[in-house]
Amino acid sequence: MRRTKGADPALQREAQVARALREIGAALAPSEELDDILELLLAKAQELLESERATLYILDETTGELVSRIVVGGETRAVRMRVGFGIAGIVAQTGKTIRVSDAYMDPRFEPQWDILTGFKTRSILATPLKNHLGSTIGVLQVLNKRVDNEFTDDDEALLISLGTQAAVVIDNSRLVLRLKEKNRQLLETHQRLEQRVRELQLLFELERSTARATSLPELATAALNHIVAACDVLGAAILVCDEETGDLLLFELDSTKDTGPQSRSVKSGEGWLKRSMLAGETRILDAHDLSETPVEARFAFPVLAGIVAPLEGDEANLGAVGLFGLRKARAFEHDDLELVRLLSSNISTAVRLHRAATAREKTERLTSIGRLLSQVVHDFKTPMTVISGYSQLMVDCEDRKQRTNYAEEILRQFELVTSMQREVLEFARGERSIFVRRVYLARFFNDLIKQIEREISGLPIELSTQIDAKASARFDESRIARAVHNLIRNAIEAMVSKGGRLTLAASVSDGSMIIEVADTGPGIPEAISGKLFQSFVTANKPGGTGLGLAIVKKIVDEHGGAVIVESSQHGAKFRIVLPQSPEKPSGQFAVAQKTQTRSASRPPSVPPAGK
Ligand SMILES: Nc1ncnc2c1ncn2[C@@H]1O[C@H](COP(=O)(O)OP(=O)(O)OP(=O)(O)O)[C@@H](O)[C@H]1O
Ligand SMILES: [Mg+2]
């Protein structure tokens, strides 16, 4: 039923409606500010439908209530209404438009809102808002028609059309919001993933470079460079506690200075790194914290923010790591704490591994020095025996010239002892080398033979020698003398009880010098034949230490040569083969040639060149 008031007002209204819908349409375009659009829509509904109040109820699906988010007319109120109660509640429940001309005459009307607000409801027009799936998502309601006090069919059609608009706005807006939320979540996940990848990259790089470091400063420098580059900080510092002295060593890197990483020891006082180390606490520091207690590092920039973490270890007080001064205008956050914890555990592992390696190296060096000393002490036997022999001869000798000879011989033995001592010291300093020079076999073996003769005098042992007297060869005289002595002594010991023949032969042919020591003893015991050249392998010999042949092998290895053993029940024969490198100036330290010791249990060691 339509009540017209003449053509003009009707035309005016049509124009008004068209304008209002255009405005609403224009406002819908950006479809972002939902509240603004709905407010416009309500204002237009109130105006076009000539009502006193327009209300939009949105269905809250979780509570099953209608919630009025906007009340037009100067006030904003939140009104809640159960679905199925009151006119709007019934519209929401049935999905049908309701028009009421006198509210108080309608039993469906709930007057409590009038009572509460002092408003007097007369006529009501309410229409459901439906989403794209056809479900009700709210109710649009106008109250009290100003003219004639009753809403018309036109009003109803217009409200339904406005309701459709509102539903589209709300629906779209929800879809947009949902999309936006999804996008935001995606972006966050993406950023988090990117951050994780960056952190993993940093940790990987850190581990790789700290693993390559051979000293603590190298390790700290590598770690600091990576941290400062990857964490967007102006400076970083690592505090490490010396396990033996308890001294604190500080490594710091200030990216605002071009000095690179610096280190110094921190003896007294307490800063944030030491605090973190002692308390085992990871902590974000603000400007206030840093003004109360400074950080140990001497940064050129004002340190207003920082984050410190202790280095974790089995032992307490390993040290601490800290990041200071952010490049970007932001504060250190929870995520940074996690990263610093990861960094700290990475650096801790590197420091602990480094300490273990240093300790192992030290032990190995001490063990080697101990082994070398025991070898030298073993070889002292020979010169000592010779010295004591000549001393006794000197006591009984009347002839002055002969005594001088004996004294010279004693002095030579002292030189031998001194050179052995020098060897140990050279090794301790890490300067192992052999002293190779041209030696005439006649002179070298004459001296040796004299000593052997003295050793076997009184024993049932016959000495046979075959020395190529005209030949010469290049080798370390004192070392090869020691090696031959050890072989001779073993041969004598093998025949001492039953007697026999000792053969010493030396020659140079095909670019090698060959020295042979053979005996007619019982041969090498089967039990040790496979490990003859290992240290401390001895058999059937009271007082034997098992070092003699190990020393022989080592000396021959150093010359790049080989030791070959032949053994049977009728005796043992040891052959030393020393390859002859091209002539070098006499008296130079030389690099041994690298050939395999055939009887060796490991490849020959090559001493460093030029020493
Ligand atoms: N010519 C040999 N005849 C028989 N057995 C030998 C001979 N040379 C070495 N051996 C055996 O090899 C073992 C190891 O010799 P090696 O010279 O290394 O140590 P050692 O003679 O027992 O003790 P050390 O030389 O340190 O006083 C000897 O104990 C011995 O059993
Ligand atoms: Mg021996």
Short mmCIF file of all heavy atoms in Angstrom, two decimals, residues 22-53:
data_model
loop_
_atom_site.label_atom_id
_atom_site.label_comp_id
_atom_site.label_asym_id
_atom_site.label_seq_id
_atom_site.Cartn_x
_atom_site.Cartn_y
_atom_site.Cartn_z
N ARG A 22 24.07 5.89 -5.03
CA ARG A 22 25.35 6.19 -5.70
C ARG A 22 26.45 6.41 -4.67
O ARG A 22 27.55 5.90 -4.77
CB ARG A 22 25.19 7.43 -6.59
CG ARG A 22 24.89 7.08 -8.05
CD ARG A 22 25.28 8.24 -8.98
NE ARG A 22 24.94 9.56 -8.51
CZ ARG A 22 23.72 10.11 -8.65
NH1 ARG A 22 22.74 9.42 -9.21
NH2 ARG A 22 23.47 11.32 -8.23
N GLU A 23 26.05 7.19 -3.65
CA GLU A 23 27.04 7.49 -2.59
C GLU A 23 27.49 6.20 -1.90
O GLU A 23 28.67 5.98 -1.65
CB GLU A 23 26.43 8.43 -1.55
CG GLU A 23 26.49 9.88 -1.95
CD GLU A 23 25.86 10.77 -0.88
OE1 GLU A 23 26.15 10.57 0.31
OE2 GLU A 23 25.06 11.64 -1.26
N ILE A 24 26.49 5.38 -1.62
CA ILE A 24 26.82 4.11 -0.94
C ILE A 24 27.71 3.27 -1.85
O ILE A 24 28.72 2.71 -1.44
CB ILE A 24 25.54 3.35 -0.56
CG1 ILE A 24 24.79 4.14 0.53
CG2 ILE A 24 25.87 1.95 -0.03
CD1 ILE A 24 23.40 3.63 0.81
N GLY A 25 27.32 3.23 -3.15
CA GLY A 25 28.11 2.46 -4.12
C GLY A 25 29.54 2.94 -4.17
O GLY A 25 30.48 2.16 -4.17
N ALA A 26 29.69 4.29 -4.19
CA ALA A 26 31.05 4.86 -4.25
C ALA A 26 31.83 4.49 -3.00
O ALA A 26 33.01 4.16 -3.06
CB ALA A 26 30.95 6.37 -4.39
N ALA A 27 31.15 4.53 -1.87
CA ALA A 27 31.83 4.19 -0.61
C ALA A 27 32.21 2.73 -0.57
O ALA A 27 33.18 2.34 0.07
CB ALA A 27 30.93 4.54 0.57
N LEU A 28 31.44 1.92 -1.27
CA LEU A 28 31.72 0.47 -1.25
C LEU A 28 33.02 0.13 -1.97
O LEU A 28 33.66 -0.85 -1.64
CB LEU A 28 30.58 -0.29 -1.92
CG LEU A 28 29.31 -0.48 -1.10
CD1 LEU A 28 28.29 -1.22 -1.93
CD2 LEU A 28 29.62 -1.24 0.17
N ALA A 29 33.32 0.96 -2.98
CA ALA A 29 34.46 0.61 -3.84
C ALA A 29 35.73 0.23 -3.07
O ALA A 29 36.25 -0.85 -3.26
CB ALA A 29 34.70 1.73 -4.83
N PRO A 30 36.21 1.08 -2.17
CA PRO A 30 37.42 0.66 -1.48
C PRO A 30 37.17 -0.51 -0.52
O PRO A 30 38.06 -1.29 -0.25
CB PRO A 30 37.85 1.90 -0.69
CG PRO A 30 36.94 3.00 -1.10
CD PRO A 30 35.76 2.40 -1.74
N SER A 31 35.91 -0.61 -0.05
CA SER A 31 35.42 -1.69 0.81
C SER A 31 36.38 -2.06 1.94
O SER A 31 36.53 -3.21 2.28
CB SER A 31 35.08 -2.93 -0.03
OG SER A 31 36.24 -3.66 -0.32
N GLU A 32 37.04 -1.05 2.48
CA GLU A 32 38.00 -1.36 3.54
C GLU A 32 37.49 -0.93 4.91
O GLU A 32 37.48 -1.71 5.84
CB GLU A 32 39.33 -0.67 3.25
CG GLU A 32 39.93 -1.18 1.96
CD GLU A 32 41.40 -1.45 2.08
OE1 GLU A 32 41.99 -0.97 3.04
OE2 GLU A 32 41.93 -2.16 1.20
N GLU A 33 37.01 0.32 4.99
CA GLU A 33 36.58 0.83 6.29
C GLU A 33 35.12 0.45 6.51
O GLU A 33 34.19 1.21 6.25
CB GLU A 33 36.76 2.35 6.33
CG GLU A 33 38.19 2.80 6.16
CD GLU A 33 39.11 2.20 7.22
OE1 GLU A 33 38.65 2.07 8.40
OE2 GLU A 33 40.25 1.84 6.89
N LEU A 34 34.93 -0.72 7.02
CA LEU A 34 33.58 -1.27 7.18
C LEU A 34 32.69 -0.36 8.03
O LEU A 34 31.55 -0.05 7.66
CB LEU A 34 33.67 -2.66 7.81
CG LEU A 34 32.34 -3.36 8.02
CD1 LEU A 34 31.66 -3.62 6.69
CD2 LEU A 34 32.51 -4.66 8.78
N ASP A 35 33.22 0.07 9.16
CA ASP A 35 32.40 0.88 10.06
C ASP A 35 31.93 2.16 9.39
O ASP A 35 30.78 2.56 9.52
CB ASP A 35 33.17 1.21 11.34
CG ASP A 35 33.23 -0.01 12.24
OD1 ASP A 35 32.54 -1.00 11.90
OD2 ASP A 35 33.97 0.02 13.23
N ASP A 36 32.84 2.80 8.63
CA ASP A 36 32.47 4.04 7.95
C ASP A 36 31.34 3.80 6.95
O ASP A 36 30.38 4.55 6.87
CB ASP A 36 33.68 4.61 7.18
CG ASP A 36 34.73 5.13 8.14
OD1 ASP A 36 34.43 5.18 9.36
OD2 ASP A 36 35.84 5.47 7.69
N ILE A 37 31.46 2.71 6.20
CA ILE A 37 30.46 2.41 5.17
C ILE A 37 29.11 2.13 5.83
O ILE A 37 28.07 2.64 5.41
CB ILE A 37 30.90 1.20 4.32
CG1 ILE A 37 32.22 1.54 3.61
CG2 ILE A 37 29.84 0.84 3.31
CD1 ILE A 37 32.91 0.34 3.05
N LEU A 38 29.18 1.33 6.89
CA LEU A 38 27.91 0.98 7.55
C LEU A 38 27.26 2.22 8.16
O LEU A 38 26.04 2.37 8.15
CB LEU A 38 28.14 -0.10 8.61
CG LEU A 38 28.58 -1.46 8.04
CD1 LEU A 38 28.80 -2.46 9.15
CD2 LEU A 38 27.56 -1.99 7.04
N GLU A 39 28.10 3.08 8.67
CA GLU A 39 27.57 4.31 9.26
C GLU A 39 26.86 5.15 8.19
O GLU A 39 25.76 5.64 8.39
CB GLU A 39 28.70 5.12 9.90
CG GLU A 39 28.18 6.23 10.75
CD GLU A 39 29.04 6.42 12.01
OE1 GLU A 39 30.02 5.69 12.20
OE2 GLU A 39 28.69 7.32 12.77
N LEU A 40 27.51 5.23 7.03
CA LEU A 40 26.91 5.96 5.91
C LEU A 40 25.59 5.32 5.50
O LEU A 40 24.57 5.98 5.31
CB LEU A 40 27.89 5.96 4.73
CG LEU A 40 27.35 6.52 3.41
CD1 LEU A 40 27.21 8.04 3.51
CD2 LEU A 40 28.27 6.16 2.24
N LEU A 41 25.65 3.99 5.43
CA LEU A 41 24.46 3.24 5.02
C LEU A 41 23.29 3.47 5.99
O LEU A 41 22.14 3.69 5.59
CB LEU A 41 24.84 1.76 4.99
CG LEU A 41 23.93 0.86 4.18
CD1 LEU A 41 24.78 0.02 3.24
CD2 LEU A 41 23.12 -0.05 5.07
N LEU A 42 23.64 3.47 7.28
CA LEU A 42 22.58 3.68 8.30
C LEU A 42 22.03 5.10 8.23
O LEU A 42 20.82 5.32 8.33
CB LEU A 42 23.14 3.42 9.69
CG LEU A 42 23.23 1.94 10.05
CD1 LEU A 42 23.97 1.75 11.36
CD2 LEU A 42 21.82 1.33 10.16
N ALA A 43 22.94 6.05 8.03
CA ALA A 43 22.50 7.44 7.95
C ALA A 43 21.55 7.61 6.77
O ALA A 43 20.51 8.26 6.87
CB ALA A 43 23.71 8.35 7.79
N LYS A 44 21.92 6.96 5.65
CA LYS A 44 21.07 7.05 4.47
C LYS A 44 19.73 6.35 4.70
O LYS A 44 18.67 6.83 4.28
CB LYS A 44 21.78 6.44 3.26
CG LYS A 44 22.99 7.22 2.81
CD LYS A 44 22.63 8.62 2.34
CE LYS A 44 23.85 9.50 2.20
NZ LYS A 44 23.51 10.91 2.08
N ALA A 45 19.76 5.21 5.37
CA ALA A 45 18.52 4.47 5.63
C ALA A 45 17.58 5.33 6.48
O ALA A 45 16.38 5.45 6.19
CB ALA A 45 18.84 3.16 6.35
N GLN A 46 18.18 5.94 7.50
CA GLN A 46 17.37 6.78 8.41
C GLN A 46 16.74 7.95 7.63
O GLN A 46 15.56 8.23 7.75
CB GLN A 46 18.26 7.31 9.52
CG GLN A 46 17.45 8.01 10.60
CD GLN A 46 18.37 8.65 11.64
OE1 GLN A 46 19.58 8.58 11.54
NE2 GLN A 46 17.77 9.27 12.62
N GLU A 47 17.59 8.52 6.76
CA GLU A 47 17.15 9.70 6.01
C GLU A 47 16.11 9.33 4.95
O GLU A 47 15.04 9.91 4.87
CB GLU A 47 18.40 10.30 5.35
CG GLU A 47 18.19 11.59 4.62
CD GLU A 47 19.46 11.96 3.84
OE1 GLU A 47 20.59 11.70 4.36
OE2 GLU A 47 19.33 12.47 2.72
N LEU A 48 16.41 8.30 4.15
CA LEU A 48 15.53 7.94 3.04
C LEU A 48 14.19 7.40 3.51
O LEU A 48 13.16 7.63 2.90
CB LEU A 48 16.21 6.91 2.14
CG LEU A 48 17.43 7.39 1.35
CD1 LEU A 48 18.09 6.24 0.62
CD2 LEU A 48 17.02 8.47 0.36
N LEU A 49 14.27 6.66 4.61
CA LEU A 49 13.03 6.04 5.09
C LEU A 49 12.30 6.95 6.09
O LEU A 49 11.35 6.54 6.73
CB LEU A 49 13.34 4.68 5.72
CG LEU A 49 13.75 3.66 4.65
CD1 LEU A 49 14.63 2.57 5.21
CD2 LEU A 49 12.53 3.07 3.98
N GLU A 50 12.81 8.13 6.23
CA GLU A 50 12.21 9.15 7.10
C GLU A 50 11.89 8.57 8.47
O GLU A 50 10.78 8.68 8.99
CB GLU A 50 10.93 9.70 6.43
CG GLU A 50 11.24 10.43 5.13
CD GLU A 50 10.01 10.62 4.26
OE1 GLU A 50 9.17 9.72 4.23
OE2 GLU A 50 9.91 11.66 3.62
N SER A 51 12.89 7.89 9.03
CA SER A 51 12.67 7.25 10.33
C SER A 51 13.43 8.01 11.41
O SER A 51 14.30 8.82 11.11
CB SER A 51 13.15 5.81 10.27
OG SER A 51 14.54 5.80 10.02
N GLU A 52 13.09 7.71 12.65
CA GLU A 52 13.78 8.38 13.76
C GLU A 52 15.08 7.67 14.12
O GLU A 52 15.98 8.25 14.69
CB GLU A 52 12.85 8.44 14.98
CG GLU A 52 11.74 9.45 14.80
CD GLU A 52 10.81 9.52 16.01
OE1 GLU A 52 11.10 8.84 17.03
OE2 GLU A 52 9.81 10.23 15.91
N ARG A 53 15.14 6.40 13.83
CA ARG A 53 16.35 5.66 14.21
C ARG A 53 16.59 4.51 13.24
O ARG A 53 15.64 3.86 12.81
CB ARG A 53 16.19 5.12 15.63
CG ARG A 53 17.35 4.29 16.12
CD ARG A 53 17.19 3.90 17.55
NE ARG A 53 17.39 5.04 18.45
CZ ARG A 53 17.56 4.92 19.76
NH1 ARG A 53 17.50 3.73 20.33
NH2 ARG A 53 17.75 5.97 20.51
#
